[in-house]
Amino acid sequence: MMRSIENTGFICLNCHKKIEKLTNGSYRNHCPFCLYSLHVDKHPGDRASTCGGLMAPIGLAYKSKKGWQLIHCCQRCGIQVVNKIAIDTVQPDDLQKVTTLQG
Ligand SMILES: [Zn+2]
Ligand SMILES: [Zn+2]
């Protein structure tokens, strides 16, 4: 069976911009422009979910070890997940947009 964990570019289903893969050794799972994500993972990077719903950025969480993280809520099934903010890469997250999520 083919392992599907990979770091690839994709087209954002929310804003339709072309997103390049991360260059900081991490794994891109949300759009740096509109911050939307897709519910395709059960655990980060495994692509094991069959939901496929759009995940809206709904807030920010601060974890002392991981730094700032985005909270995403799936528009289809309602699950909430936290994702690390992408910086130190091409197309870093729009931090101005990120800070608007802060309570
Ligand atoms: Zn987008
Ligand atoms: Zn979902």
Side-chain angles (χ1 to χ4, degrees):
M1 217 175 108
M2 216 180 84
R3 297 271 290 174
S4 55
I5 298 177
E6 49 185 85
N7 181 27
T8 53
F10 59 94
I11 306 282
C12 176
L13 289 181
N14 184 59
C15 70
H16 306 292
K17 287 196 168 80
K18 186 172 182 286
I19 299 149
E20 310 286 343
K21 64 183 181 183
L22 286 184
T23 53
N24 64 0
S26 189
Y27 164 85
R28 175 93 76 190
N29 62 11
H30 59 271
C31 174
F33 303 105
C34 68
L35 306 178
Y36 271 66
S37 184
L38 263 191
H39 189 192
V40 291
D41 296 339
K42 277 181 183 161
H43 302 287
D46 66 6
R47 293 290 194 261
S49 173
T50 53
C51 175
L54 258 185
M55 302 190 79
I58 58 164
L60 274 180
Y62 187 78
K63 301 261 172 74
S64 54
K65 277 184 187 160
K66 294 180 175 176
W68 286 101
Q69 299 195 296
L70 277 172
I71 304 167
H72 282 112
C73 180
C74 181
Q75 309 285 280
R76 184 173 285 175
C77 72
I79 198 174
Q80 289 187 15
V81 294
V82 290
N83 286 305
K84 218 174 123 191
I85 285 171
I87 44 176
D88 309 325
T89 174
V90 293
Q91 297 183 328
D93 286 358
D94 184 342
L95 288 178
Q96 233 167 347
K97 213 158 230 170
V98 169
T99 51
T100 63
L101 296 169
Q102 212 173 344

